[in-house]
Amino acid sequence: MDIMLILQIIVLFGGIYLGVKLGGMGVGYAGGLGVVVLAMLGMKVEMKGIPMDVILIIASVISAITAMQVAGGLDYLVQVASKILRKNPKQINFLAPIVTYLLTIFAGTGHTAFSMLPVITEVAKGQNIKPSAPLALSVVSSQVAITASPISAAFVAMTGVVEPLGVSYPMLLFICISTTFVAMLITSFFVNKFYDLDLSKDPIYQERLAKGLVEEVKDAEYKELKPYAKRSVAIFGIGVLIIVAYALAISKSVGLIENPILSRDNAIISFMLTIGFIIVVLCKVDTGKLLSTSTFQSGMNACICVIGIAWLGTTFVNGHIDSIKEIAKNVVTQYPFILAVALYFLSCLLYSQAATTRVMMPAVAVALGMTSPENSQHVWILVASFAAVSGLFVLPTYPTTLGAIAMDDTGTTKVGKFVFNHSFFVPGTIMVAISVILGFLIAPVLI
């Protein structure tokens, strides 16, 4: 290994480390710094290393959700989900992750889980259940669900890689939804069955309770919804259905629309902006409030993170693509599960399912010599491993992870002394592992 490669690796992981330490948009800033340093070390830096398709999809989806939030739509969804949880409180460890999973599927972003965290904490406390269990399951399920949402940037990026290799859009969607949903249920059963869930016996909770740091469980109070809250949700939902229908129609397996004017990426971007326009007009949204919403701020934070860290990762990968091809050809074909392991750890560093997919999947496909359906016998490995890009919980620095820790006043949701021994690591790893295992069982059969 020559000295220049060692320096480049140091820059790559140094940029990621600095980003994780800074948190938030600092991840993107550190990625940009890493790109500058790599350029100074002689690496070729190209604009195509920036995943503009991923960024534009995230921005457009967030813009539509922001309009729905200002119209009161998110409040309505939270009220519906809250009533479901409060009506069946004993099933919180199953219903909470199902709710955040479905919200993510619907919205294409895991940041919708934020709104459910206080409700989950309250319901768990009322049932003498450690909030750490349903909170961890809910946060992780919202992250894994990104790989199964038809309008998420990660899923669209994955579709762009595997569809030219013979994996149809509906087939990919079916495999991703079925494996991740079943994995979520199995993980929830494991936590519910084998975890110590008795809140009253937790020493940290008792200590905080004695100090008066734990708020009493309050009766549900639902604020009055805005006049067009339900209408905004209906508009957004119909828009998502139209996008999925269009994506199916232009897919090669269905082929209802040949030579489409709009590609799938362009359709999602333009349709989402149109959905935002319709919500603003028909729901009388004050556009001056859009920029101050939590949804918009978290979405733009995600865009900056993807710009910096994905550009850094792609620049490094492109600079060593020949070596990566050789390693992938020799290792992945013999030990297919290695790809899932690599994606799992890389995703916690790249801070994004979409960025990880964008950086790794095309490179691995090329490395394995897959350029068309005729030579894509190993494409099932990519599909089966896809859920492994959801390892964002490994480092307890992701916004929803930090949000869950902050909102649990019982102290049961926490980060351990060794950083990795936090409340999300075990259930998250189990959920991702089961998703991948199910993928390895199903994908070779169906593809």
Side-chain angles (χ1 to χ4, degrees), residues 118-194:
V119 179
I120 294 170
T121 302
E122 283 290 304
V123 174
K125 284 162 59 178
Q127 293 298 309
N128 193 39
I129 295 173
K130 291 180 181 178
S132 58
L135 284 173
L137 288 167
S138 300
V139 167
V140 172
S141 68
S142 71
Q143 294 177 4
V144 173
I146 286 292
T147 61
S149 172
I151 60 172
S152 75
F155 185 85
V156 173
M158 185 63 178
T159 303
V161 175
V162 300
E163 193 168 40
L165 302 177
V167 181
S168 67
Y169 179 91
M171 179 58 70
L172 179 64
L173 190 60
F174 172 77
I175 292 173
C176 291
I177 291 178
S178 60
T179 55
T180 55
F181 188 78
V182 172
M184 176 196 61
L185 294 178
I186 294 174
T187 307
S188 299
F189 172 80
F190 177 87
V191 170
N192 198 60
K193 185 74 174 177
F194 299 106

Side-chain angles (χ1 to χ4, degrees), residues 22 25-34 304-305 308:
L22 290 173
M25 287 200 302
V27 175
Y29 297 155
L33 173 63
I304 297 300
C305 290

Side-chain angles (χ1 to χ4, degrees), residues 288-432:
K289 297 180 179 180
L290 294 173
L291 300 183
S292 61
T293 62
S294 58
T295 300
F296 180 83
Q297 290 169 6
S298 63
M300 291 307 100
N301 172 56
C303 286
I304 297 300
C305 290
V306 171
I307 289 174
I309 210 68
W311 194 8
L312 173 61
T314 305
T315 298
F316 180 85
V317 169
N318 288 341
H320 301 282
I321 190 65
D322 293 333
S323 300
I324 293 173
K325 287 179 183 178
E326 194 62 32
I327 294 173
K329 185 185 299 182
N330 295 330
V331 177
V332 175
T333 53
Q334 294 184 43
Y335 309 101
F337 66 89
I338 291 295
L339 175 60
V341 174
L343 293 172
Y344 172 79
F345 285 107
L346 189 62
S347 63
C348 78
L349 298 176
L350 293 184
Y351 220 57
S352 165
Q353 298 97 328
T356 307
T357 303
R358 187 69 168 72
V359 168
M360 286 298 294
M361 291 304 191
V364 174
V366 172
L368 297 179
M370 295 186 291
T371 57
S372 67
E374 288 71 30
N375 58 10
S376 60
Q377 66 271 23
H378 297 299
V379 69
W380 67 269
I381 299 175
L382 275 65
V383 175
S385 303
F386 181 37
V389 303
S390 306
L392 279 62
F393 55 83
V394 174
L395 296 174
T397 54
Y398 199 71
T400 47
T401 304
L402 294 175
I405 295 171
M407 292 179 191
D408 181 8
D409 59 357
T410 68
T412 62
T413 308
K414 56 185 181 295
V415 179
K417 295 180 180 178
F418 304 103
V419 181
F420 290 101
N421 58 329
H422 52 75
S423 302
F424 309 87
F425 186 80
V426 173
T429 302
I430 292 173
M431 196 179 299
V432 169

